[in-house]
Amino acid sequence: PKDPPVADELNWLAEQSPNNIFVRDQIVPKVMRRLVATGKPADLKLCVDFVAKLKDSASREKALDGLAIALAG
């Protein structure tokens, strides 16, 4: 079977991160770093859109941390 698009995976992360500390603290920042590392503008836009739609401030902070590290590197 075909893998779901990245947007579907990010939607799942957005749903899981407020209640799952491991997803929020480990997976979300790593996904942000990996997507930025592709160098594709579309992937960077996915990251920014993901951060914008997060309602949970702790999840948003971790996503922004991952983005900042990726963009600084």
Side-chain angles (χ1 to χ4, degrees):
K2 186 177 176 187
D3 290 330
V6 173
D8 289 346
E9 299 292 341
L10 290 174
N11 288 335
W12 183 87
L13 285 175
E15 292 171 7
Q16 298 299 313
S17 64
N19 300 313
N20 187 322
I21 294 169
F22 180 75
V23 169
R24 180 183 64 226
D25 292 354
Q26 301 296 321
I27 305 299
V28 167
K30 185 176 285 190
V31 167
M32 297 294 102
R33 292 192 310 267
R34 295 266 175 105
L35 282 173
V36 171
T38 68
K40 297 178 184 174
D43 287 344
L44 179 58
K45 184 180 180 335
L46 284 171
C47 291
V48 172
D49 291 346
F50 174 77
V51 171
K53 80 175 176 183
L54 287 172
K55 306 261 189 278
D56 176 55
S57 62
S59 298
R60 190 178 305 117
E61 180 182 353
K62 292 297 182 178
L64 286 170
D65 285 349
L67 268 175
I69 290 168
L71 293 171

mmCIF file of all heavy atoms in Angstrom, residues 6-50:
data_model
loop_
_atom_site.group_PDB
_atom_site.id
_atom_site.type_symbol
_atom_site.label_atom_id
_atom_site.label_comp_id
_atom_site.label_asym_id
_atom_site.label_seq_id
_atom_site.Cartn_x
_atom_site.Cartn_y
_atom_site.Cartn_z
ATOM 1 N N VAL A 6 2.506 13.368 3.413
ATOM 2 C CA VAL A 6 3.099 13.992 4.599
ATOM 3 C C VAL A 6 2.054 14.790 5.373
ATOM 4 O O VAL A 6 2.046 14.767 6.604
ATOM 5 C CB VAL A 6 4.288 14.892 4.195
ATOM 6 C CG1 VAL A 6 4.811 15.670 5.378
ATOM 7 C CG2 VAL A 6 5.392 14.069 3.572
ATOM 8 N N ALA A 7 1.170 15.455 4.679
ATOM 9 C CA ALA A 7 0.143 16.258 5.359
ATOM 10 C C ALA A 7 -0.719 15.396 6.279
ATOM 11 O O ALA A 7 -1.078 15.825 7.380
ATOM 12 C CB ALA A 7 -0.719 16.987 4.341
ATOM 13 N N ASP A 8 -1.036 14.176 5.842
ATOM 14 C CA ASP A 8 -1.823 13.271 6.690
ATOM 15 C C ASP A 8 -1.036 12.884 7.937
ATOM 16 O O ASP A 8 -1.591 12.796 9.037
ATOM 17 C CB ASP A 8 -2.228 12.011 5.922
ATOM 18 C CG ASP A 8 -3.274 12.284 4.861
ATOM 19 O OD1 ASP A 8 -3.895 13.369 4.878
ATOM 20 O OD2 ASP A 8 -3.475 11.405 4.006
ATOM 21 N N GLU A 9 0.250 12.654 7.777
ATOM 22 C CA GLU A 9 1.098 12.316 8.922
ATOM 23 C C GLU A 9 1.173 13.490 9.899
ATOM 24 O O GLU A 9 1.131 13.308 11.116
ATOM 25 C CB GLU A 9 2.508 11.938 8.453
ATOM 26 C CG GLU A 9 2.563 10.742 7.538
ATOM 27 C CD GLU A 9 2.206 9.435 8.218
ATOM 28 O OE1 GLU A 9 2.250 9.355 9.462
ATOM 29 O OE2 GLU A 9 1.883 8.479 7.502
ATOM 30 N N LEU A 10 1.293 14.699 9.364
ATOM 31 C CA LEU A 10 1.345 15.881 10.226
ATOM 32 C C LEU A 10 0.018 16.086 10.955
ATOM 33 O O LEU A 10 0.016 16.501 12.124
ATOM 34 C CB LEU A 10 1.709 17.117 9.408
ATOM 35 C CG LEU A 10 3.148 17.150 8.889
ATOM 36 C CD1 LEU A 10 3.355 18.352 7.969
ATOM 37 C CD2 LEU A 10 4.159 17.159 10.020
ATOM 38 N N ASN A 11 -1.094 15.790 10.293
ATOM 39 C CA ASN A 11 -2.393 15.871 10.969
ATOM 40 C C ASN A 11 -2.442 14.906 12.146
ATOM 41 O O ASN A 11 -2.947 15.252 13.216
ATOM 42 C CB ASN A 11 -3.535 15.574 9.995
ATOM 43 C CG ASN A 11 -3.759 16.697 9.015
ATOM 44 O OD1 ASN A 11 -3.430 17.847 9.280
ATOM 45 N ND2 ASN A 11 -4.318 16.366 7.865
ATOM 46 N N TRP A 12 -1.933 13.705 11.934
ATOM 47 C CA TRP A 12 -1.904 12.724 13.019
ATOM 48 C C TRP A 12 -1.041 13.232 14.172
ATOM 49 O O TRP A 12 -1.427 13.129 15.338
ATOM 50 C CB TRP A 12 -1.374 11.382 12.503
ATOM 51 C CG TRP A 12 -1.396 10.311 13.542
ATOM 52 C CD1 TRP A 12 -2.435 9.481 13.849
ATOM 53 C CD2 TRP A 12 -0.329 9.967 14.435
ATOM 54 N NE1 TRP A 12 -2.075 8.641 14.877
ATOM 55 C CE2 TRP A 12 -0.786 8.919 15.252
ATOM 56 C CE3 TRP A 12 0.966 10.438 14.623
ATOM 57 C CZ2 TRP A 12 -0.002 8.350 16.247
ATOM 58 C CZ3 TRP A 12 1.752 9.864 15.609
ATOM 59 C CH2 TRP A 12 1.265 8.833 16.412
ATOM 60 N N LEU A 13 0.135 13.780 13.859
ATOM 61 C CA LEU A 13 1.000 14.326 14.899
ATOM 62 C C LEU A 13 0.315 15.444 15.669
ATOM 63 O O LEU A 13 0.440 15.533 16.894
ATOM 64 C CB LEU A 13 2.313 14.851 14.308
ATOM 65 C CG LEU A 13 3.331 13.813 13.884
ATOM 66 C CD1 LEU A 13 4.513 14.507 13.203
ATOM 67 C CD2 LEU A 13 3.819 13.004 15.071
ATOM 68 N N ALA A 14 -0.402 16.308 14.969
ATOM 69 C CA ALA A 14 -1.110 17.410 15.627
ATOM 70 C C ALA A 14 -2.174 16.889 16.592
ATOM 71 O O ALA A 14 -2.380 17.467 17.667
ATOM 72 C CB ALA A 14 -1.746 18.329 14.587
ATOM 73 N N GLU A 15 -2.815 15.792 16.231
ATOM 74 C CA GLU A 15 -3.827 15.194 17.110
ATOM 75 C C GLU A 15 -3.203 14.518 18.313
ATOM 76 O O GLU A 15 -3.746 14.573 19.424
ATOM 77 C CB GLU A 15 -4.644 14.162 16.337
ATOM 78 C CG GLU A 15 -5.529 14.732 15.264
ATOM 79 C CD GLU A 15 -6.146 13.642 14.389
ATOM 80 O OE1 GLU A 15 -5.982 12.436 14.697
ATOM 81 O OE2 GLU A 15 -6.786 13.999 13.384
ATOM 82 N N GLN A 16 -2.068 13.854 18.117
ATOM 83 C CA GLN A 16 -1.449 13.064 19.179
ATOM 84 C C GLN A 16 -0.594 13.878 20.147
ATOM 85 O O GLN A 16 -0.494 13.545 21.319
ATOM 86 C CB GLN A 16 -0.580 11.965 18.567
ATOM 87 C CG GLN A 16 -1.323 10.972 17.725
ATOM 88 C CD GLN A 16 -2.376 10.222 18.508
ATOM 89 O OE1 GLN A 16 -2.115 9.745 19.604
ATOM 90 N NE2 GLN A 16 -3.574 10.143 17.971
ATOM 91 N N SER A 17 0.049 14.926 19.659
ATOM 92 C CA SER A 17 1.054 15.624 20.458
ATOM 93 C C SER A 17 0.548 16.238 21.763
ATOM 94 O O SER A 17 1.288 16.217 22.756
ATOM 95 C CB SER A 17 1.792 16.664 19.614
ATOM 96 O OG SER A 17 0.936 17.670 19.185
ATOM 97 N N PRO A 18 -0.676 16.769 21.850
ATOM 98 C CA PRO A 18 -1.080 17.357 23.131
ATOM 99 C C PRO A 18 -1.156 16.340 24.275
ATOM 100 O O PRO A 18 -0.930 16.692 25.426
ATOM 101 C CB PRO A 18 -2.464 17.941 22.855
ATOM 102 C CG PRO A 18 -2.503 18.154 21.382
ATOM 103 C CD PRO A 18 -1.658 17.040 20.806
ATOM 104 N N ASN A 19 -1.460 15.089 23.958
ATOM 105 C CA ASN A 19 -1.668 14.084 24.999
ATOM 106 C C ASN A 19 -0.584 13.018 25.071
ATOM 107 O O ASN A 19 -0.668 12.123 25.901
ATOM 108 C CB ASN A 19 -3.019 13.395 24.784
ATOM 109 C CG ASN A 19 -4.147 14.390 24.831
ATOM 110 O OD1 ASN A 19 -4.209 15.222 25.734
ATOM 111 N ND2 ASN A 19 -5.026 14.340 23.852
ATOM 112 N N ASN A 20 0.409 13.106 24.203
ATOM 113 C CA ASN A 20 1.461 12.096 24.170
ATOM 114 C C ASN A 20 2.810 12.802 24.274
ATOM 115 O O ASN A 20 3.292 13.395 23.316
ATOM 116 C CB ASN A 20 1.357 11.289 22.874
ATOM 117 C CG ASN A 20 2.307 10.122 22.826
ATOM 118 O OD1 ASN A 20 3.443 10.208 23.276
ATOM 119 N ND2 ASN A 20 1.851 9.025 22.247
ATOM 120 N N ILE A 21 3.398 12.741 25.464
ATOM 121 C CA ILE A 21 4.636 13.468 25.732
ATOM 122 C C ILE A 21 5.762 13.028 24.804
ATOM 123 O O ILE A 21 6.538 13.860 24.335
ATOM 124 C CB ILE A 21 5.047 13.296 27.212
ATOM 125 C CG1 ILE A 21 4.021 13.968 28.105
ATOM 126 C CG2 ILE A 21 6.426 13.887 27.469
ATOM 127 C CD1 ILE A 21 4.175 13.640 29.575
ATOM 128 N N PHE A 22 5.859 11.745 24.514
ATOM 129 C CA PHE A 22 6.920 11.262 23.627
ATOM 130 C C PHE A 22 6.768 11.855 22.225
ATOM 131 O O PHE A 22 7.739 12.330 21.644
ATOM 132 C CB PHE A 22 6.927 9.732 23.563
ATOM 133 C CG PHE A 22 7.997 9.197 22.655
ATOM 134 C CD1 PHE A 22 9.326 9.207 23.045
ATOM 135 C CD2 PHE A 22 7.687 8.698 21.396
ATOM 136 C CE1 PHE A 22 10.322 8.733 22.209
ATOM 137 C CE2 PHE A 22 8.672 8.224 20.555
ATOM 138 C CZ PHE A 22 9.991 8.237 20.968
ATOM 139 N N VAL A 23 5.555 11.827 21.707
ATOM 140 C CA VAL A 23 5.315 12.399 20.380
ATOM 141 C C VAL A 23 5.660 13.882 20.393
ATOM 142 O O VAL A 23 6.363 14.374 19.509
ATOM 143 C CB VAL A 23 3.854 12.170 19.927
ATOM 144 C CG1 VAL A 23 3.517 12.987 18.688
ATOM 145 C CG2 VAL A 23 3.609 10.691 19.663
ATOM 146 N N ARG A 24 5.183 14.596 21.413
ATOM 147 C CA ARG A 24 5.407 16.045 21.488
ATOM 148 C C ARG A 24 6.885 16.392 21.642
ATOM 149 O O ARG A 24 7.404 17.250 20.937
ATOM 150 C CB ARG A 24 4.614 16.638 22.654
ATOM 151 C CG ARG A 24 4.802 18.150 22.779
ATOM 152 C CD ARG A 24 4.062 18.715 23.971
ATOM 153 N NE ARG A 24 4.597 18.179 25.195
ATOM 154 C CZ ARG A 24 3.855 17.713 26.205
ATOM 155 N NH1 ARG A 24 2.544 17.714 26.136
ATOM 156 N NH2 ARG A 24 4.428 17.254 27.292
ATOM 157 N N ASP A 25 7.567 15.744 22.558
ATOM 158 C CA ASP A 25 8.939 16.136 22.901
ATOM 159 C C ASP A 25 10.011 15.553 21.987
ATOM 160 O O ASP A 25 11.082 16.137 21.852
ATOM 161 C CB ASP A 25 9.255 15.739 24.341
ATOM 162 C CG ASP A 25 8.468 16.547 25.363
ATOM 163 O OD1 ASP A 25 7.764 17.500 24.946
ATOM 164 O OD2 ASP A 25 8.546 16.237 26.556
ATOM 165 N N GLN A 26 9.745 14.430 21.357
ATOM 166 C CA GLN A 26 10.756 13.760 20.541
ATOM 167 C C GLN A 26 10.433 13.745 19.053
ATOM 168 O O GLN A 26 11.279 14.088 18.232
ATOM 169 C CB GLN A 26 10.960 12.313 21.036
ATOM 170 C CG GLN A 26 11.398 12.212 22.473
ATOM 171 C CD GLN A 26 12.761 12.819 22.716
ATOM 172 O OE1 GLN A 26 13.668 12.683 21.895
ATOM 173 N NE2 GLN A 26 12.915 13.510 23.825
ATOM 174 N N ILE A 27 9.226 13.324 18.728
ATOM 175 C CA ILE A 27 8.874 13.106 17.323
ATOM 176 C C ILE A 27 8.620 14.425 16.591
ATOM 177 O O ILE A 27 9.140 14.637 15.490
ATOM 178 C CB ILE A 27 7.651 12.179 17.193
ATOM 179 C CG1 ILE A 27 7.885 10.851 17.925
ATOM 180 C CG2 ILE A 27 7.299 11.957 15.725
ATOM 181 C CD1 ILE A 27 9.043 10.049 17.422
ATOM 182 N N VAL A 28 7.834 15.317 17.190
ATOM 183 C CA VAL A 28 7.483 16.572 16.511
ATOM 184 C C VAL A 28 8.722 17.388 16.127
ATOM 185 O O VAL A 28 8.872 17.774 14.967
ATOM 186 C CB VAL A 28 6.476 17.394 17.352
ATOM 187 C CG1 VAL A 28 6.349 18.818 16.832
ATOM 188 C CG2 VAL A 28 5.113 16.713 17.348
ATOM 189 N N PRO A 29 9.666 17.646 17.057
ATOM 190 C CA PRO A 29 10.843 18.423 16.644
ATOM 191 C C PRO A 29 11.683 17.713 15.581
ATOM 192 O O PRO A 29 12.211 18.351 14.661
ATOM 193 C CB PRO A 29 11.650 18.609 17.925
ATOM 194 C CG PRO A 29 10.813 18.144 19.037
ATOM 195 C CD PRO A 29 9.665 17.373 18.473
ATOM 196 N N LYS A 30 11.777 16.396 15.677
ATOM 197 C CA LYS A 30 12.563 15.644 14.696
ATOM 198 C C LYS A 30 11.918 15.713 13.311
ATOM 199 O O LYS A 30 12.613 15.870 12.309
ATOM 200 C CB LYS A 30 12.720 14.185 15.137
ATOM 201 C CG LYS A 30 13.626 13.384 14.217
ATOM 202 C CD LYS A 30 13.853 11.989 14.725
ATOM 203 C CE LYS A 30 14.813 12.050 15.891
ATOM 204 N NZ LYS A 30 15.291 10.735 16.308
ATOM 205 N N VAL A 31 10.613 15.618 13.250
ATOM 206 C CA VAL A 31 9.918 15.711 11.971
ATOM 207 C C VAL A 31 10.141 17.098 11.353
ATOM 208 O O VAL A 31 10.396 17.211 10.150
ATOM 209 C CB VAL A 31 8.408 15.405 12.136
ATOM 210 C CG1 VAL A 31 7.619 15.799 10.896
ATOM 211 C CG2 VAL A 31 8.198 13.931 12.452
ATOM 212 N N MET A 32 10.072 18.137 12.171
ATOM 213 C CA MET A 32 10.320 19.491 11.662
ATOM 214 C C MET A 32 11.740 19.594 11.088
ATOM 215 O O MET A 32 11.934 20.118 9.989
ATOM 216 C CB MET A 32 10.138 20.542 12.767
ATOM 217 C CG MET A 32 8.739 20.640 13.334
ATOM 218 S SD MET A 32 7.497 21.222 12.167
ATOM 219 C CE MET A 32 6.692 19.692 11.731
ATOM 220 N N ARG A 33 12.715 19.069 11.808
ATOM 221 C CA ARG A 33 14.110 19.120 11.334
ATOM 222 C C ARG A 33 14.272 18.338 10.035
ATOM 223 O O ARG A 33 14.935 18.795 9.098
ATOM 224 C CB ARG A 33 15.059 18.573 12.406
ATOM 225 C CG ARG A 33 15.148 19.456 13.630
ATOM 226 C CD ARG A 33 16.293 19.072 14.552
ATOM 227 N NE ARG A 33 16.353 17.671 14.902
ATOM 228 C CZ ARG A 33 15.797 17.123 15.981
ATOM 229 N NH1 ARG A 33 15.104 17.866 16.836
ATOM 230 N NH2 ARG A 33 15.934 15.841 16.211
ATOM 231 N N ARG A 34 13.671 17.170 9.959
ATOM 232 C CA ARG A 34 13.807 16.332 8.763
ATOM 233 C C ARG A 34 13.154 16.966 7.546
ATOM 234 O O ARG A 34 13.674 16.909 6.438
ATOM 235 C CB ARG A 34 13.207 14.950 9.006
ATOM 236 C CG ARG A 34 13.922 14.134 10.053
ATOM 237 C CD ARG A 34 14.960 13.242 9.395
ATOM 238 N NE ARG A 34 15.742 12.521 10.372
ATOM 239 C CZ ARG A 34 15.597 11.229 10.651
ATOM 240 N NH1 ARG A 34 14.696 10.517 10.033
ATOM 241 N NH2 ARG A 34 16.379 10.667 11.537
ATOM 242 N N LEU A 35 11.980 17.564 7.739
ATOM 243 C CA LEU A 35 11.304 18.198 6.606
ATOM 244 C C LEU A 35 12.079 19.411 6.110
ATOM 245 O O LEU A 35 12.220 19.598 4.903
ATOM 246 C CB LEU A 35 9.877 18.593 6.984
ATOM 247 C CG LEU A 35 8.865 17.457 7.012
ATOM 248 C CD1 LEU A 35 7.528 17.932 7.556
ATOM 249 C CD2 LEU A 35 8.681 16.859 5.629
ATOM 250 N N VAL A 36 12.598 20.225 7.016
ATOM 251 C CA VAL A 36 13.395 21.380 6.596
ATOM 252 C C VAL A 36 14.657 20.905 5.872
ATOM 253 O O VAL A 36 15.087 21.509 4.892
ATOM 254 C CB VAL A 36 13.747 22.277 7.800
ATOM 255 C CG1 VAL A 36 14.755 23.348 7.419
ATOM 256 C CG2 VAL A 36 12.488 22.931 8.361
ATOM 257 N N ALA A 37 15.223 19.801 6.327
ATOM 258 C CA ALA A 37 16.463 19.284 5.743
ATOM 259 C C ALA A 37 16.302 18.861 4.289
ATOM 260 O O ALA A 37 17.294 18.778 3.567
ATOM 261 C CB ALA A 37 16.991 18.114 6.565
ATOM 262 N N THR A 38 15.076 18.640 3.838
ATOM 263 C CA THR A 38 14.887 18.270 2.432
ATOM 264 C C THR A 38 15.253 19.428 1.506
ATOM 265 O O THR A 38 15.555 19.205 0.341
ATOM 266 C CB THR A 38 13.430 17.853 2.123
ATOM 267 O OG1 THR A 38 12.577 18.993 2.241
ATOM 268 C CG2 THR A 38 12.966 16.713 3.009
ATOM 269 N N GLY A 39 15.186 20.647 2.017
ATOM 270 C CA GLY A 39 15.492 21.815 1.206
ATOM 271 C C GLY A 39 14.381 22.208 0.245
ATOM 272 O O GLY A 39 14.547 23.111 -0.561
ATOM 273 N N LYS A 40 13.248 21.550 0.340
ATOM 274 C CA LYS A 40 12.123 21.839 -0.556
ATOM 275 C C LYS A 40 11.214 22.904 0.069
ATOM 276 O O LYS A 40 10.776 22.744 1.207
ATOM 277 C CB LYS A 40 11.299 20.577 -0.802
ATOM 278 C CG LYS A 40 12.067 19.477 -1.505
ATOM 279 C CD LYS A 40 11.193 18.246 -1.660
ATOM 280 C CE LYS A 40 11.974 17.105 -2.282
ATOM 281 N NZ LYS A 40 11.175 15.875 -2.307
ATOM 282 N N PRO A 41 10.937 23.977 -0.668
ATOM 283 C CA PRO A 41 10.038 25.010 -0.136
ATOM 284 C C PRO A 41 8.676 24.462 0.290
ATOM 285 O O PRO A 41 8.104 24.921 1.279
ATOM 286 C CB PRO A 41 9.894 26.000 -1.296
ATOM 287 C CG PRO A 41 11.131 25.810 -2.102
ATOM 288 C CD PRO A 41 11.478 24.344 -1.979
ATOM 289 N N ALA A 42 8.165 23.481 -0.424
ATOM 290 C CA ALA A 42 6.857 22.905 -0.074
ATOM 291 C C ALA A 42 6.907 22.232 1.297
ATOM 292 O O ALA A 42 5.933 22.307 2.060
ATOM 293 C CB ALA A 42 6.421 21.908 -1.137
ATOM 294 N N ASP A 43 8.036 21.587 1.616
ATOM 295 C CA ASP A 43 8.159 20.947 2.930
ATOM 296 C C ASP A 43 8.272 21.983 4.042
ATOM 297 O O ASP A 43 7.714 21.806 5.131
ATOM 298 C CB ASP A 43 9.364 20.002 2.955
ATOM 299 C CG ASP A 43 9.108 18.735 2.154
ATOM 300 O OD1 ASP A 43 7.933 18.448 1.841
ATOM 301 O OD2 ASP A 43 10.085 18.028 1.848
ATOM 302 N N LEU A 44 8.969 23.077 3.781
ATOM 303 C CA LEU A 44 9.045 24.161 4.764
ATOM 304 C C LEU A 44 7.660 24.751 5.002
ATOM 305 O O LEU A 44 7.276 25.025 6.142
ATOM 306 C CB LEU A 44 10.026 25.238 4.303
ATOM 307 C CG LEU A 44 10.186 26.434 5.238
ATOM 308 C CD1 LEU A 44 10.639 25.998 6.628
ATOM 309 C CD2 LEU A 44 11.174 27.429 4.653
ATOM 310 N N LYS A 45 6.886 24.909 3.935
ATOM 311 C CA LYS A 45 5.521 25.419 4.082
ATOM 312 C C LYS A 45 4.675 24.462 4.914
ATOM 313 O O LYS A 45 3.882 24.907 5.755
ATOM 314 C CB LYS A 45 4.879 25.645 2.718
ATOM 315 C CG LYS A 45 3.490 26.255 2.815
ATOM 316 C CD LYS A 45 2.868 26.472 1.459
ATOM 317 C CE LYS A 45 1.500 27.080 1.485
ATOM 318 N NZ LYS A 45 0.669 26.915 2.636
ATOM 319 N N LEU A 46 4.832 23.167 4.716
ATOM 320 C CA LEU A 46 4.109 22.190 5.539
ATOM 321 C C LEU A 46 4.445 22.381 7.016
ATOM 322 O O LEU A 46 3.554 22.307 7.870
ATOM 323 C CB LEU A 46 4.457 20.764 5.111
ATOM 324 C CG LEU A 46 3.818 20.238 3.842
ATOM 325 C CD1 LEU A 46 4.429 18.902 3.452
ATOM 326 C CD2 LEU A 46 2.312 20.090 4.023
ATOM 327 N N CYS A 47 5.718 22.628 7.317
ATOM 328 C CA CYS A 47 6.137 22.839 8.707
ATOM 329 C C CYS A 47 5.488 24.084 9.300
ATOM 330 O O CYS A 47 4.965 24.044 10.418
ATOM 331 C CB CYS A 47 7.654 22.977 8.803
ATOM 332 S SG CYS A 47 8.557 21.474 8.471
ATOM 333 N N VAL A 48 5.537 25.183 8.554
ATOM 334 C CA VAL A 48 4.960 26.438 9.042
ATOM 335 C C VAL A 48 3.456 26.295 9.238
ATOM 336 O O VAL A 48 2.900 26.738 10.257
ATOM 337 C CB VAL A 48 5.306 27.595 8.078
ATOM 338 C CG1 VAL A 48 4.557 28.860 8.457
ATOM 339 C CG2 VAL A 48 6.807 27.840 8.073
ATOM 340 N N ASP A 49 2.788 25.651 8.297
ATOM 341 C CA ASP A 49 1.342 25.422 8.422
ATOM 342 C C ASP A 49 1.034 24.529 9.621
ATOM 343 O O ASP A 49 0.047 24.756 10.331
ATOM 344 C CB ASP A 49 0.781 24.800 7.147
ATOM 345 C CG ASP A 49 0.798 25.757 5.961
ATOM 346 O OD1 ASP A 49 0.997 26.976 6.167
ATOM 347 O OD2 ASP A 49 0.629 25.270 4.823
ATOM 348 N N PHE A 50 1.871 23.522 9.842
ATOM 349 C CA PHE A 50 1.696 22.622 10.988
ATOM 350 C C PHE A 50 1.771 23.408 12.287
ATOM 351 O O PHE A 50 0.906 23.272 13.156
ATOM 352 C CB PHE A 50 2.773 21.530 10.945
ATOM 353 C CG PHE A 50 2.779 20.624 12.139
ATOM 354 C CD1 PHE A 50 1.839 19.624 12.275
ATOM 355 C CD2 PHE A 50 3.744 20.760 13.137
ATOM 356 C CE1 PHE A 50 1.845 18.773 13.379
ATOM 357 C CE2 PHE A 50 3.757 19.923 14.230
ATOM 358 C CZ PHE A 50 2.802 18.924 14.355
#
